[in-house]
Amino acid sequence: MTTTVVGWLWWTKSIAFMHTAVVQFGVESTEPDDGTLTAVFIDVEASELDLTKTAERLARTRGGSAAGYESDLTVTSAVDVSGLAVTARGRTPGRAQALAIAAAEALSSYLSDVSPSGARTFTYTVVDQGN
């Protein structure tokens, strides 16, 4: 007599790892330095559009659906710097980190495309938070 046990590892579906990458904002002047002191303050607030556009770009570059990416990502205002924090959820630490970095790069690309041009240009730098 043979007994077969079929089971499902339900707990592997419920484990999630989180990782955050930040898109830091900066400003560069496109004009020569005239010696005057100039201050620029950047106040950043995350919007639903940031998440939507990030997910759409990920779907185009990595495959899959934008809705699938949206469910695994959050975009919030960064705490310690001027910028936006992208937090990704993954089944392994490596997948969460890879998705967070790819999403931050997609968000940076989107922001670069919609930034106004003029005497000063915005810069966007992706920084892995290493968590």
Side-chain angles (χ1 to χ4, degrees):
M1 175 178 207
T2 303
T3 304
T4 304
V5 178
V6 178
W8 181 257
L9 297 176
W10 61 268
W11 58 269
T12 61
K13 287 240 181 224
S14 64
I15 294 175
F17 296 90
M18 307 298 274
H19 195 90
T20 300
V22 172
V23 179
Q24 286 184 336
F25 293 15
V27 178
E28 288 183 358
S29 177
T30 58
E31 298 177 348
D33 184 9
D34 63 2
T36 60
L37 184 60
T38 304
V40 177
F41 296 95
I42 303 172
D43 185 25
V44 182
E45 189 171 319
S47 75
E48 189 64 31
L49 184 61
D50 296 326
L51 176 60
T52 300
K53 293 298 185 181
T54 298
E56 288 171 358
R57 286 183 184 236
L58 284 172
R60 279 197 305 268
T61 58
R62 297 181 70 167
S65 72
Y69 287 111
E70 281 190 53
S71 67
D72 288 333
L73 296 171
T74 59
V75 177
T76 57
S77 298
V79 176
D80 296 330
V81 296
S82 292
L84 296 171
V86 180
T87 302
R89 183 179 66 221
R91 290 197 183 154
T92 68
R95 284 186 180 180
Q97 180 181 24
L99 181 56
I101 293 170
E105 289 171 351
L107 177 58
S108 174
S109 173
Y110 161 68
L111 293 170
S112 293
D113 289 349
V114 299
S115 289
S117 59
R120 291 181 179 86
T121 58
F122 288 101
T123 60
Y124 306 99
T125 306
V126 173
V127 178
D128 182 11
Q129 294 295 290
N131 54 350

